[in-house]
Amino acid sequence: MLHLISQSPIDLAIFERLGVGDDVLFLDKAVLNLLQKGSLSKVLTPLLEQHQLYALADDLEVRGISSAELLKGLLVIDYIGFVDLTIKNPLIQTWS
Protein backbone atom coordinates (compact mmCIF):
# COMPACT_ATOMS: atom_id res chain seq x y z
CA MET A 1 0.00 0.00 0.00
CA LEU A 2 1.13 3.54 -0.70
CA HIS A 3 0.55 6.12 2.03
CA LEU A 4 0.54 9.77 0.95
CA ILE A 5 1.24 12.10 3.87
CA SER A 6 0.82 15.82 3.31
CA GLN A 7 -0.14 17.08 6.76
CA SER A 8 2.14 18.87 9.17
CA PRO A 9 2.30 18.30 12.00
CA ILE A 10 1.93 14.59 11.33
CA ASP A 11 -0.45 12.58 13.48
CA LEU A 12 1.78 9.82 14.87
CA ALA A 13 -1.15 7.37 14.79
CA ILE A 14 -0.64 7.20 11.02
CA PHE A 15 2.60 5.27 11.51
CA GLU A 16 0.80 2.65 13.62
CA ARG A 17 -1.40 1.91 10.60
CA LEU A 18 1.46 1.03 8.26
CA GLY A 19 1.71 -2.56 7.09
CA VAL A 20 5.04 -4.30 6.60
CA GLY A 21 6.47 -3.33 3.24
CA ASP A 22 4.19 -0.32 2.73
CA ASP A 23 5.62 2.67 0.88
CA VAL A 24 5.24 6.15 2.37
CA LEU A 25 5.49 9.34 0.32
CA PHE A 26 5.76 12.69 2.09
CA LEU A 27 4.32 15.65 0.19
CA ASP A 28 3.70 19.34 0.66
CA LYS A 29 4.37 20.56 4.23
CA ALA A 30 4.98 17.03 5.52
CA VAL A 31 8.51 17.12 4.03
CA LEU A 32 9.44 19.52 6.84
CA ASN A 33 9.34 16.52 9.20
CA LEU A 34 12.05 14.59 7.35
CA LEU A 35 15.09 16.45 8.60
CA GLN A 36 17.86 14.50 10.34
CA LYS A 37 17.70 16.98 13.22
CA GLY A 38 13.92 17.19 13.17
CA SER A 39 11.58 16.36 16.02
CA LEU A 40 10.33 13.18 14.28
CA SER A 41 13.72 11.74 13.35
CA LYS A 42 13.62 9.25 16.25
CA VAL A 43 10.16 8.09 15.11
CA LEU A 44 10.90 7.93 11.38
CA THR A 45 14.36 6.35 11.41
CA PRO A 46 13.15 2.96 12.74
CA LEU A 47 10.38 2.95 10.10
CA LEU A 48 13.04 2.73 7.40
CA GLU A 49 13.74 -0.85 8.48
CA GLN A 50 10.31 -2.09 7.32
CA HIS A 51 9.14 0.61 4.91
CA GLN A 52 10.52 2.69 2.12
CA LEU A 53 10.08 6.39 2.79
CA TYR A 54 10.04 8.90 -0.06
CA ALA A 55 9.92 12.67 -0.40
CA LEU A 56 8.81 14.60 -3.46
CA ALA A 57 11.76 16.58 -4.84
CA ASP A 58 9.69 19.62 -5.85
CA ASP A 59 8.28 19.99 -2.33
CA LEU A 60 11.78 19.86 -0.85
CA GLU A 61 13.08 22.39 -3.36
CA VAL A 62 10.27 24.87 -2.71
CA ARG A 63 11.11 24.75 1.00
CA GLY A 64 14.86 25.04 0.50
CA ILE A 65 15.63 21.59 1.92
CA SER A 66 18.64 19.77 0.50
CA SER A 67 18.95 15.99 0.36
CA ALA A 68 21.95 16.21 2.73
CA GLU A 69 19.59 17.46 5.47
CA LEU A 70 17.22 14.49 5.17
CA LEU A 71 17.09 11.25 7.12
CA LYS A 72 19.54 8.69 5.81
CA GLY A 73 17.80 6.01 3.73
CA LEU A 74 14.95 8.23 2.59
CA LEU A 75 14.59 8.42 -1.20
CA VAL A 76 13.87 11.64 -3.07
CA ILE A 77 11.70 11.17 -6.15
CA ASP A 78 10.23 13.31 -8.92
CA TYR A 79 6.71 13.19 -10.34
CA ILE A 80 7.59 10.27 -12.61
CA GLY A 81 8.70 8.36 -9.51
CA PHE A 82 5.40 9.30 -7.88
CA VAL A 83 3.49 7.81 -10.81
CA ASP A 84 5.66 4.67 -10.61
CA LEU A 85 4.71 4.30 -6.93
CA THR A 86 1.01 4.52 -7.77
CA ILE A 87 1.46 1.77 -10.36
CA LYS A 88 3.41 -0.41 -7.91
CA ASN A 89 0.82 0.13 -5.15
CA PRO A 90 -2.77 -0.21 -6.39
CA LEU A 91 -4.03 0.62 -2.87
CA ILE A 92 -3.43 4.22 -1.85
CA GLN A 93 -4.26 5.92 1.45
CA THR A 94 -4.10 9.71 1.66
CA TRP A 95 -3.44 11.40 5.00
CA SER A 96 -3.99 15.13 4.87
Side-chain angles (χ1 to χ4, degrees):
M1 177 181 281
L2 175 60
H3 297 266
L4 304 176
I5 300 176
S6 59
Q7 64 178 319
S8 185
I10 296 173
D11 182 351
L12 297 180
I14 291 171
F15 302 125
E16 296 172 9
R17 296 185 173 117
L18 300 178
V20 174
D22 284 357
D23 292 321
V24 183
L25 175 59
F26 294 85
L27 308 159
D28 200 29
K29 293 178 186 175
V31 300
L32 297 170
N33 296 283
L34 302 175
L35 301 174
Q36 290 177 30
K37 297 180 181 180
S39 61
L40 288 183
S41 64
K42 291 182 180 175
V43 173
L44 296 173
T45 300
L47 290 177
L48 287 163
E49 294 176 18
Q50 294 185 358
H51 311 283
Q52 184 57 64
L53 306 183
Y54 301 88
L56 195 61
D58 285 0
D59 289 332
L60 294 170
E61 184 177 344
V62 164
R63 288 161 182 82
I65 300 172
S66 73
S67 58
E69 298 174 89
L70 298 174
L71 296 169
K72 301 296 181 201
L74 181 123
L75 297 178
V76 177
I77 61 171
D78 58 13
Y79 281 103
I80 293 172
F82 187 175
V83 171
D84 291 341
L85 282 176
T86 63
I87 293 168
K88 174 186 171 194
N89 296 281
L91 294 175
I92 300 172
Q93 175 66 52
T94 301
W95 306 97
S96 54

